[in-house]
Amino acid sequence: WLVGFLSFWHRGEVRTTRAKVLPWHIFLGLYTYGLAVATAETGLLEKLTFLQSRRTASKHCPESMIVNSLGLGLVLLCGIVILTAVSPKYHALQTKLMYSSDTKCLSS
């Protein structure tokens, strides 16, 4: 929050600072996203384990299929998001917009 507040008041260094911090920002954002997905997967697995340990759900019941489907869907979505974020197509677009000196291009 502090870095964002200071960059608002010191606009001269913003472009170069953003260019230096961007790779770390992307890495930390994707790392945090991966940890959130891992936490969600662990929660799904824990819920299913508790259901099966109390004998309220068998190993091949509909609840197991739903939890497994949710887990696989979540992993696939996470993979798509991360691949999209690190895709070279989008990096070229960001670099092109960031270093453009034409003010008409940035304002539109």
Side-chain angles (χ1 to χ4, degrees):
W1 183 85
L2 183 63
V3 172
F5 182 75
L6 292 175
S7 70
F8 177 77
W9 291 107
H10 298 284
R11 294 202 186 257
E13 304 94 28
V14 171
R15 188 170 299 237
T16 57
T17 305
R18 284 186 184 173
K20 290 178 185 175
V21 174
L22 183 64
W24 286 104
H25 181 78
I26 292 171
F27 171 73
L28 289 174
L30 290 176
Y31 184 73
T32 305
Y33 179 68
L35 287 177
V37 170
T39 302
E41 291 285 343
T42 305
L44 288 171
L45 181 63
E46 182 181 12
K47 179 66 175 173
L48 187 60
T49 303
F50 285 153
L51 284 174
Q52 290 175 351
S53 68
R54 292 185 198 157
R55 306 274 187 224
T56 58
S58 66
K59 290 188 178 189
H60 300 291
C61 67
E63 288 88 358
S64 298
M65 294 297 190
I66 290 173
V67 170
N68 287 334
S69 299
L70 279 172
L72 288 174
L74 190 59
V75 166
L76 287 174
L77 177 66
C78 178
I80 290 169
V81 168
I82 290 176
L83 284 176
T84 303
V86 298
S87 155
K89 177 182 174 184
Y90 294 104
H91 288 294
L93 179 64
Q94 288 176 354
T95 307
K96 186 175 159 184
L97 288 176
M98 185 178 294
Y99 293 115
S100 177
S101 61
D102 187 15
T103 56
K104 291 180 186 175
C105 181
L106 292 175
S107 64
S108 59

